[in-house]
Every structure is written in C-alpha cells, then in structure tokens.
C-alpha cells in the first residue's frame, strides 16, 4: 500500500492547522471584542462578521477556477501571504467601520488560501489513499479548533488584551506560509484554454443538492459557533466556557474522523455522511432544548461527532462527482456552500438574537439542520450514488 503520510502531505497538513489555528483564535472572541471595544449590538456584530463570510464565499466562487487554471503553489503562496498580512489590520483599526472593512476584506485571502491548500493536499496524496487522506486532512482543522479557542480564551481572561491575540494569529499564519513554501509539487497539465468559461468552471453544478443541504448544516454551525461565547457569559454565567465548548467539539470531530476513516477508505462515503447527519441533528436539538451547562457542553461533543462524519464524507462526494480536471472547482464548491450557510447563520442569528433572544436563534439552527437532514435522506444520498464518477 502506498504511503499516506508523505513529506509534502505532512507539510500541507501542518500549514492547514496553522491557517485554522490563526482563524479560530479570533472566531469565539470577536463578538465579545466588538461589544466591549465598540459597544456594538448583536445584530451589528452579526453584520460585521457576515462580511468576512460573504467575501470568503465570493473568493471561493473564483478560487476553484483559478487553482485549476494557474500554478497551484503560486496561487497558494500569494493568497497565504495576504491572509497573514491582514492580521495587522485588526490591531490598526480604531473604529468599528474600519474594523468591519478589514474583517470583510480579510475573507478574500482566507477563501483562496483554504481552497488552494486543500487542493494541493489532494495533489500530493497517493491515488490509492486519497479518500482516506481527505478525511484525515480535516483533522488539522479539528486540532486547531480544539486548541486555538482555549488559548484565545486563556489570553483574554488573563490579560484582556486583544492585540496579543491578533499578533499571535499573524505569527502562526506566517509559520504556515513558511511551511507551505517548501512543498514540492509535480508538474501537471492545466485546464486553461481547454474548456470555455461556464458556470461549471466556478461551481460544480452536478453537486447542487449536496450544496443546498450543506448550506443548511452550515447555517446551524454559523449560529451556534458565533454566539456560543457571549451566550455562555450572558445567559448561563459560564465565564470562558467557549474554550471548553470548542475543545469538546473538536474532540468529537477527531474521534469521528478517526472512526470514519476506515469506512471512507472502503468507499462507504454515503454511509459516513448518513451517520453524521443523524448525530448532528441530535446535537443541535440538545443545544436548543437544554439551556444549561449539560446541554451546552454535551451538545459540543455530539455536534463534533456528527460533523466529523458528515463533512469529510460530503467533501469526498463533491470530489467523486467531478472529473480530475475540476478538482479545485469541486473543492471550492463545498466551501462555497459552507460559507453561504455559515454567513447566513451569522447574519440571521444576530437578528434573531437581538429581536427574540438566544433560544429562538438556536431553535432555528435546529430547524435548518432538520431541513438538511431530510434533504439528505430524501434526495442527496440517491443522487450521489447515481452520479458519482469513482
């Protein structure tokens, strides 16, 4: 059997860890920062954070085509450099408007970097281990999600100095950029000039139903992950508890990814997705229905278990629906769907929380998850089985 953990795969795996470590340092604390620093209301917080998601979405619509059409390492290094430099803007932003502008534009290099890095990871994987490798690649996100929020919360509680967190995020991102600069890629045939520009070059149209259900799952995550820190503080009197929440969430992700890697290696992709959507639905129900510490922390673990099965399975579904020449497009398509869902969750979650309270927002997160669950079982599972190319 071909070696899975080759040197180049380890490098892009570590670089991805650093991308998401720097990203997750800020994610749980930005609502608190905007509230404390600028006195922003919850719907304003949602609007500011939505800008990042929408720009990442726009970037990913084009990133798949660009990654497939130009040298991938060049695209990766340019976008990664810009992603790193933007962290300085958070320190410099002295007004809510300027901060919102920096945060919004930062979504562009984040969108390009994540698509380029994950596509390079697929390129350096041996073909016989690709399905398994894609699932394990996501462990880098999960470990970052386990460690980074806890580090950020600890720094915040200890110092109340957000600038330390912003600078740390930049340093970690710089480390990932340096690692990625040493990756060696084999020459490949590019698709530029081979096909006319069409919608399918920017988004994998064949995966439309997978994308719609993924948006529903992402909406739920967008609501809960964005407001979990401030909700814990205001309603449950859990100070700094979001660090533990994200740690348990990541533990669930890691357990389920390791558990599900065997099924993915055997090609049981729809099976893994089915387990994931079922567990995830239960996790969001627990979070909405049990508004205390047990529901708060228990849901984190259950949602993590569900997402750890569901997301890598969905990513493989997109890739298996696409020809090899559209690997970047397939990769960007699932991220576009995720971004749309998360962005809407952040935006509408803020509006719902401001007008009706946290409970209503979290119940809507469960309702959207239920819609995605039904869509998977009624259509997506069969659609994938009929249309997959591998």
């Amino acid at each position: 059997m071909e070696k899975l953990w080759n040197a180049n795969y380890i490098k892009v795996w570590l670089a991805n860890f650093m991308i998401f470590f720097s990203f997750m340092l800020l994610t749980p604390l930005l609502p608190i920062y905007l509230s404390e620093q600028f006195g922003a209301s919850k719907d304003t917080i949602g609007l500011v954070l939505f800008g990042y998601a929408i720009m990442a979405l726009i970037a990913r619509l084009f990133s798949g085509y660009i990654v497939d059409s130009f040298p991938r390492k060049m695209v990766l290094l340019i976008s990664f450099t810009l992603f790193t430099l933007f962290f300085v803007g958070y320190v410099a932003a002295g007004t809510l408007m300027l901060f919102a502008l920096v945060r919004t534009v930062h979504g562009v290099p984040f969108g390009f970097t994540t698509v380029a890095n994950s596509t390079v990871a697929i390129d350096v994987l041996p073909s016989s281990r690709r399905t398994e490798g894609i699932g394990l690649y996501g462990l880098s996100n999960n470990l970052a999600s386990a460690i980074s929020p806890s580090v950020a919360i600890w720094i915040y509680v200890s110092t109340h100095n957000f600038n330390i967190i912003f600078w740390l995020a930049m340093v970690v991102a710089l480390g990932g950029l340096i690692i990625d600069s040493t990756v060696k890629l084999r020459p490949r045939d590019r698709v530029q000039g081979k096909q006319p520009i069409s919608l399918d070059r920017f988004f994998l149209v064949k995966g439309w139903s997978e994308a719609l259900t993924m948006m529903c799952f992402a909406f739920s995550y967008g609501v809960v992950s964005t407001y979990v820190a401030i909700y814990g503080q205001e309603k449950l009197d859990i100070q700094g508890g979001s660090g533990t929440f994200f740690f348990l969430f990541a533990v669930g992700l890691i357990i389920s990814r390791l558990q599900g890697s065997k099924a993915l290696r055997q090609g049981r992709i729809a099976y893994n997705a089915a387990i994931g959507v079922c567990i995830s639905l239960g996790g969001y129900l627990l979070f909405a229905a049990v508004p205390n510490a047990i529901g708060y922390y228990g849901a984190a673990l259950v949602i993590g278990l569900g997402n750890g099965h569901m997301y890598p399975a969905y990513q493989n579904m997109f890739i298996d629906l696409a020809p090899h020449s559209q690997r970047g497009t397939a990769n960007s398509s699932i991220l576009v769907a995720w971004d749309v869902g998360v962005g809407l969750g952040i935006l509408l979650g803020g509006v719902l929380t401001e007008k009706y309270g946290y409970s209503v927002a979290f119940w809507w997160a469960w309702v959207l998850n239920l819609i995605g669950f039904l869509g998977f079982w009624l259509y997506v599972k069969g659609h994938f089985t009929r249309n997959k190319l591998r």
Side-chain angles (χ1 to χ4, degrees):
M1 186 177 289
E2 295 176 280
K3 185 178 180 181
L4 172 63
W5 293 95
N6 60 68
N8 285 318
Y9 179 65
I10 291 172
K11 288 175 183 177
V12 294
W13 194 97
L14 288 172
N16 193 58
F17 172 87
M18 292 182 173
I19 293 168
F20 281 90
F21 189 98
S22 58
F23 172 72
M24 288 300 296
L25 273 172
L26 274 56
T27 298
L29 287 177
L30 282 181
I32 296 174
Y33 176 75
L34 292 170
S35 177
E36 289 185 359
Q37 189 75 13
F38 303 112
S41 63
K42 293 180 183 65
D43 50 356
T44 301
I45 291 170
L47 188 61
V48 172
L49 301 184
F50 175 71
Y52 186 93
I54 199 67
M55 292 306 290
L57 159 67
I58 293 170
R60 283 169 172 167
L61 281 170
F62 296 97
S63 60
Y65 177 75
I66 291 173
V67 165
D68 283 338
S69 302
F70 296 95
R72 282 179 183 157
K73 186 172 180 180
M74 179 189 75
V75 175
L76 173 60
L77 295 183
I78 291 173
S79 58
F80 210 150
T81 299
L82 293 173
F83 173 71
T84 302
L85 292 175
F86 261 91
F87 285 107
V88 180
Y90 295 114
V91 179
T95 65
L96 179 60
M97 183 65 71
L98 187 56
F99 188 94
L101 179 63
V102 171
R103 180 65 179 173
T104 298
V105 179
H106 197 187
V108 175
F110 176 75
F112 272 97
T113 304
T114 49
V115 170
N117 200 75
S118 59
T119 306
V120 166
I122 296 169
D123 284 345
V124 299
L125 281 166
S127 57
S128 63
R129 308 294 297 275
R130 187 166 292 140
T131 302
E132 178 187 8
I134 291 169
L136 292 174
Y137 176 79
L139 279 175
S140 54
N141 305 12
N142 306 153
L143 287 171
S145 298
I147 300 169
S148 184
S150 300
V151 171
I153 295 292
W154 178 79
I155 293 172
Y156 168 71
V157 171
S158 301
T159 69
H160 283 271
N161 188 332
F162 286 95
N163 284 345
I164 295 175
I165 299 170
F166 296 146
W167 283 116
L168 178 60
M170 192 200 72
V171 170
V172 173
L174 179 61
L177 172 61
I178 292 170
I179 290 172
D180 259 346
S181 69
T182 66
V183 173
K184 294 180 173 60
L185 294 180
R186 293 186 299 271
R188 65 184 180 86
D189 294 327
R190 298 198 296 273
V191 301
Q192 191 174 18
K194 293 183 178 181
Q195 302 179 45
I197 295 179
S198 63
L199 177 60
D200 207 43
R201 299 301 301 129
F202 299 96
F203 185 84
L204 190 69
V205 176
K206 193 188 290 186
W208 68 270
S209 61
E210 286 78 4
L212 286 176
T213 51
M214 176 57 73
M215 286 167 55
C216 293
F217 302 136
F219 180 95
S220 306
Y221 180 78
V223 173
V224 170
S225 65
T226 301
Y227 299 101
V228 68
I230 197 166
Y231 164 69
Q233 277 190 354
E234 291 185 359
K235 296 299 181 182
L236 305 182
D237 197 28
I238 299 174
Q239 302 301 318
S242 62
T244 305
F245 178 94
F246 281 104
F247 176 79
L248 291 171
F249 173 76
V251 167
L253 285 168
I254 292 165
I255 291 172
S256 56
R257 281 187 186 265
L258 291 173
Q259 196 176 48
S261 63
K262 181 179 179 181
L264 290 177
R265 186 167 62 245
Q266 296 170 344
R268 299 165 70 193
I269 295 172
Y271 169 81
N272 240 31
I275 291 176
V277 300
C278 291
I279 296 175
S280 182
L281 184 66
Y284 286 104
L285 177 61
L286 177 62
F287 193 85
V290 186
N292 57 34
I294 294 173
Y296 186 86
Y297 292 123
L301 182 63
V302 177
I303 292 169
L305 287 168
N307 279 20
H309 280 293
M310 179 267 294
Y311 191 90
Y314 259 74
Q315 188 173 15
N316 274 292
M317 287 162 71
F318 273 87
I319 291 168
D320 283 1
L321 288 170
H324 291 303
S325 62
Q326 287 185 274
R327 204 175 272 170
T329 302
N331 234 351
S332 67
S333 295
I334 185 174
L335 292 170
V336 164
W338 182 261
D339 283 343
V340 171
V342 168
L344 290 173
I346 292 170
L347 182 64
L348 297 180
V351 173
L352 290 169
T353 299
E354 185 71 21
K355 293 187 180 298
Y356 306 108
Y358 290 106
S359 179
V360 171
F362 295 146
W363 274 111
W364 270 106
W366 179 78
V367 168
L368 266 291
N369 206 266
L370 175 63
I371 293 171
F373 170 88
L374 294 173
F376 174 82
W377 283 103
L378 295 176
Y379 187 81
V380 171
K381 189 171 181 288
H383 172 266
F384 170 70
T385 303
R386 292 190 302 272
N387 292 279
K388 63 181 180 178
L389 300 178
R390 287 174 286 280

